[in-house]
Amino acid sequence: MFTRIDHVGIACRDLDAAVAFYRSTYGFEVAHEEVNEEQGVREAMLRVSGTDDGGASYLQLLEPVRDDSPVAKFLDRHGEGVHHVAFGTGDVAGASAAVAGRGVRVLDAEPRPGSMGSRIAFLHPKDCGGVLTELVQAAGSGPDPEGS
Amino acid sequence: MFTRIDHVGIACRDLDAAVAFYRSTYGFEVAHEEVNEEQGVREAMLRVSGTDDGGASYLQLLEPVRDDSPVAKFLDRHGEGVHHVAFGTGDVAGASAAVAGRGVRVLDAEPRPGSMGSRIAFLHPKDCGGVLTELVQAAGSGPDPEGS
């Protein structure tokens, strides 16, 4: 059902500085940047490797663009660091339903837009051993009820 | 230099319960369990996927076996959740030296034993945007100065 660590989401106060750190220290390059207005973040995806399901693993660097965004609140409480872990799946709606059936609260009743055209759902960290967990269906993979 | 997210380390109070959660909720199976006396943890490695460098990505679940272990102190301060992120490399000694040369404090002057016969080094989280970062050379890969 879950085929890869799609990404590790990392909260930072200065996206450009974080990108510069990961590039200069480890050689990771930016595959994509975007602003997600709904989540209130500016983000960069740094590709680490391809995976055996044909997908890839990324670091997702997240800078809040408004003070009331979840990532801004995380930074206020915890400071910079790991914000969430995301698992890749070919069917985020099916995987969300399966996980919900096992007693985990799914925070998104319907999958919503994630990075790079993906569809995502978040799980409640209190049901996941303190780990804010995201399920990701990459763009162009798996079923798409909107037919886009 | 770094070819994969080798693993995400997750601190838990009850390893058996955490393993049961990840198996029943996501279908991840235990590839390996061990006690690392030096680090004061009992741990399970759950394989998530293979990666295009021939390695794999895991979740590493960590339960402290003594109250003064770093993971026990983490649990006291933060509760359960993500403890560290590990990047895979073919040469942990060389990668550590390279990273140190870029101004990041390497906590292990010499690589030390990690999970499944790997050799590892930790980086100072304050030099890594709040992320406790581990470098991992898998067993049997890359240069090994001990010739084992």
Side-chain angles (χ1 to χ4, degrees), chain B residues 3 8-9 33 38 49 63 69 73 86 90 95 98 100 103 113 117 129 132 138-139 143 145 147:
Chain B
T3 57
V8 177
E33 280 196 34
E38 180 200 9
S49 68
E63 177 197 86
S69 72
K73 292 176 184 171
L132 178 59

Side-chain angles (χ1 to χ4, degrees), chain A residues 11-140:
Chain A
C12 61
R13 297 188 194 285
D14 181 336
L15 183 65
D16 296 334
V19 165
F21 169 77
Y22 278 98
R23 179 186 286 137
S24 65
T25 309
Y26 305 118
F28 298 145
E29 295 294 339
V30 174
H32 181 79
E33 281 196 34
E34 68 183 83
V35 173
N36 186 317
E37 296 286 357
E38 180 199 9
Q39 295 181 37
V41 293
R42 191 164 75 94
E43 61 177 65
M45 298 292 279
L46 281 62
R47 190 176 182 282
V48 180
S49 68
T51 53
D52 58 6
D53 66 346
S57 290
Y58 301 89
L59 299 180
Q60 181 186 55
L61 306 177
L62 300 159
E63 177 197 88
V65 294
R66 55 173 197 264
D67 290 343
D68 65 344
S69 72
V71 170
K73 292 175 185 172
F74 175 91
L75 286 168
D76 286 345
R77 281 196 305 271
H78 303 286
E80 294 186 315
V82 175
H83 179 260
H84 68 271
V85 176
F87 299 120
T89 174
D91 176 8
V92 68
S96 296
V99 166
R102 293 164 196 161
V104 173
R105 282 169 285 180
V106 178
L107 300 177
D108 301 290
E110 295 291 328
R112 60 188 166 103
S115 303
M116 301 189 293
S118 63
R119 299 172 65 230
I120 66 171
F122 277 95
L123 310 182
H124 200 304
K126 289 193 178 171
D127 294 344
C128 301
V131 178
L132 177 59
T133 303
E134 180 183 343
L135 311 182
V136 179
Q137 177 184 326

Side-chain angles (χ1 to χ4, degrees), chain A residues 129-130, chain B residues 11-13 71-83:
Chain B
C12 61
R13 298 188 194 282
V71 170
K73 292 176 184 171
F74 176 91
L75 286 168
D76 286 345
R77 282 197 304 271
H78 303 285
E80 294 186 316
V82 175
H83 179 261

Side-chain angles (χ1 to χ4, degrees), chain B:
Chain B
M1 183 164 61
F2 300 101
T3 57
R4 66 186 179 277
I5 298 174
D6 184 89
H7 64 266
V8 177
I10 296 170
C12 61
R13 298 188 194 282
D14 181 336
L15 183 65
D16 297 334
V19 165
F21 169 78
Y22 278 98
R23 177 187 287 137
S24 66
T25 309
Y26 305 118
F28 297 146
E29 295 293 341
V30 175
H32 181 79
E33 280 196 34
E34 69 182 84
V35 173
N36 187 318
E37 295 286 358
E38 180 200 9
Q39 293 181 38
V41 294
R42 191 164 75 95
E43 60 177 66
M45 298 292 280
L46 282 63
R47 189 176 182 284
V48 180
S49 68
T51 52
D52 59 7
D53 66 345
S57 290
Y58 300 89
L59 299 181
Q60 181 185 55
L61 306 177
L62 300 159
E63 177 197 86
V65 294
R66 54 173 198 264
D67 290 344
D68 65 343
S69 72
V71 170
K73 292 176 184 171
F74 176 91
L75 286 168
D76 286 345
R77 282 197 304 271
H78 303 285
E80 294 186 316
V82 175
H83 179 261
H84 68 272
V85 176
F87 299 120
T89 173
D91 176 7
V92 67
S96 295
V99 166
R102 291 162 197 163
V104 174
R105 283 170 284 179
V106 178
L107 300 178
D108 300 291
E110 295 291 327
R112 58 188 168 104
S115 302
M116 303 189 295
S118 64
R119 298 171 67 230
I120 66 171
F122 277 95
L123 310 182
H124 200 303
K126 288 193 178 171
D127 294 344
C128 301
V131 179
L132 178 59
T133 302
E134 180 183 343
L135 311 182
V136 179
Q137 178 184 328
S141 72
D144 181 346
E146 296 171 21
S148 61

